[in-house]
Amino acid sequence: MNKITSLFNIQYPIIQGGMIWNSGWRLASAVSNAGGLGLIGAGSMYPDVLVEHIQKCQSATDKPFGVNLPLMYPAIEEHIESIIKLGVKIVFTSAGSPKKWTSTLQKEGIKVVHVVSSSKFALKSQEAGVDAIVAEGFEAGGHNGIEETTTLCLIPDVASQIDIPILAAGGIATGKQMLAAMILGADGVQIGSRFAATHEASSHDLYKEQIVKAKEGDTQLSLKELAPVRLLKNEFWNQIQEAYERCATTGELQKLLGRGRAKKGMFEGNLVEGEIEFGQSSALIHEIKSVQEVINDLMREYQESLNHKPFI
Ligand SMILES: Cc1cc2nc3c(=O)[nH]c(=O)nc-3n(C[C@H](O)[C@H](O)[C@H](O)COP(=O)(O)O)c2cc1C
């Protein structure tokens, strides 16, 4: 047992990050059944859809699972009401201040974890009273901070400043990397892209195959003026680059992004016009696997690396 496994009452300190268009009840319950902690990604769900996913997850596993709640979500109050009513016991918040909702959730016996990308916000989250934080580095898939701090630098810096448990995120897809993150001061890991390339993820097969195909350098942090996000360099990304070259305003960038781009890319599998989010770890992902295989690989490689003592 360590701080994370005992906080959530799980077997392995492996969290599957909430991911829009990827992490529905099927992925979350598979991760929880395999001994990690699965999170339903509420960011791409209407309130009634979230209710359905929570209920299906409750039927599919008797292990703990949680909900990831991006705090800028427009119907946040409805989501929170459903989470409390349906008895979800773990919430990971992101993209917003943890001050507003943490105590409301904790009063209901819910453990609250907040995602940050800098030491400054790790400290603020600790002050807001969260139970743990996810420190997410620049390598990560999806939305990210503007600081561009890599996981390798972020984790030891955060660990030297806060006392609550830390989950490292960003760029982690193997057991060796998991061990490295824990040596740097993390108590566990949150993994996104590796779980997006599993059979249980709800995203389109073409998107999953693209994660497997991607090589080092194929993604880049973009749209910093709107909300920084790591994207595959596809045709849509080229259009963003062209907009930058003609010094487009934030309004023009917003118009180019439009509505529904992420759904188009990840859920509908439009690799040309869609927004394709995944992280740098894609270069280390060579096969679409089942969740059980991913967790087995992670733990086997973690243990093998732990037992390997080259300097003794
Ligand atoms: C497709 C995709 C969608 C994501 N959506 C969310 C989200 O809705 N909320 C959130 O807090 N993080 C989101 N993330 C970040 C993940 O939860 C996780 O922290 C991140 O993927 C970790 O980095 P990795 O991809 O290198 O493993 C997303 C990541 C990906 C790849």
Side-chain angles (χ1 to χ4, degrees):
M1 293 290 268
N2 80 354
K3 284 187 200 169
I4 287 296
T5 56
S6 52
L7 180 64
F8 300 128
N9 192 24
I10 54 177
Q11 196 179 353
Y12 307 124
I14 300 173
I15 316 301
Q16 160 256 307
M19 290 179 283
I20 54 164
W21 304 114
N22 278 276
S23 61
W25 68 271
R26 209 180 293 277
L27 180 61
S29 60
V31 173
S32 292
N33 283 332
L37 181 74
L39 300 180
I40 296 172
S44 50
M45 296 180 182
Y46 289 118
D48 57 323
V49 176
L50 177 63
V51 168
E52 186 190 325
H53 279 262
I54 293 174
Q55 288 170 336
K56 287 191 168 156
C57 204
Q58 285 168 332
S59 306
T61 184
D62 53 7
K63 302 267 169 53
F65 72 91
V67 171
N68 166 252
L69 206 51
L71 292 170
M72 76 316 185
Y73 185 82
I76 185 88
E77 285 170 28
E78 279 176 78
H79 271 355
I80 289 183
E81 210 181 296
S82 311
I83 285 167
I84 294 172
K85 207 161 125 196
L86 295 170
V88 175
K89 288 291 166 228
I90 301 166
V91 170
F92 279 46
T93 55
S94 58
S97 167
K99 269 193 198 154
K100 190 160 177 203
W101 293 106
T102 298
S103 62
T104 310
L105 293 163
Q106 286 173 333
K107 273 187 209 132
E108 302 291 334
I110 297 172
K111 299 268 189 293
V112 180
V113 181
H114 191 64
V115 183
V116 298
S117 56
S118 69
S119 307
K120 185 174 136 194
F121 285 107
L123 273 169
K124 285 196 170 178
S125 304
Q126 179 170 265
E127 280 161 26
V130 300
D131 296 282
I133 62 139
V134 174
E136 190 188 60
F138 178 61
E139 301 92 327
H143 288 276
N144 207 308
I146 48 168
E147 300 85 2
E148 302 197 353
T149 311
T150 60
T151 306
L152 196 69
C153 294
L154 182 63
I155 302 308
D157 193 42
V158 169
S160 70
Q161 297 189 50
I162 68 167
D163 308 316
I164 54 176
I166 301 167
L167 289 157
I172 301 167
T174 70
K176 255 187 201 150
Q177 291 176 298
M178 176 177 161
L179 177 61
M182 292 178 72
I183 288 172
L184 291 173
D187 303 291
V189 291
Q190 171 166 293
I191 295 178
S193 304
R194 176 57 274 193
F195 284 118
T198 59
H199 302 303
E200 292 89 341
S202 56
S203 46
H204 199 282
D205 283 347
L206 289 174
Y207 161 79
K208 296 180 192 179
E209 284 160 17
Q210 185 58 62
I211 299 178
V212 170
K213 275 189 212 150
K215 303 264 182 307
E216 187 266 316
D218 283 353
T219 67
Q220 194 167 314
L221 197 69
S222 192
L223 294 173
K224 281 190 165 189
E225 302 74 5
L226 303 178
V229 59
R230 180 169 292 284
L231 296 178
L232 173 74
K233 295 175 179 173
N234 64 352
E235 176 50 33
F236 169 55
W237 186 86
N238 290 340
Q239 290 169 18
I240 300 172
Q241 291 312 107
E242 281 162 22
Y244 279 125
E245 276 159 30
R246 59 169 195 272
C247 301
T249 60
T250 310
E252 284 166 332
L253 288 171
Q254 186 71 62
K255 202 168 157 205
L256 174 61
L257 177 63
R259 286 178 62 83
R261 281 267 184 193
K263 182 179 185 190
K264 191 185 259 185
M266 295 186 279
F267 195 67
E268 295 167 6
N270 184 336
L271 302 180
V272 179
E273 284 291 326
E275 182 180 331
I276 308 288
E277 301 179 13
F278 55 76
Q280 292 186 344
S281 71
S282 51
L284 309 171
I285 300 169
H286 307 300
E287 209 184 320
I288 299 168
K289 293 191 172 185
S290 70
V291 162
Q292 186 66 62
E293 284 174 306
V294 169
I295 301 246
N296 290 350
D297 289 352
L298 283 166
M299 289 316 299
R300 190 191 53 251
E301 198 183 297
Y302 176 91
Q303 286 299 344
E304 280 169 6
S305 311
L306 192 60
N307 297 334
H308 181 65
K309 297 176 185 143
F311 300 117
I312 296 174

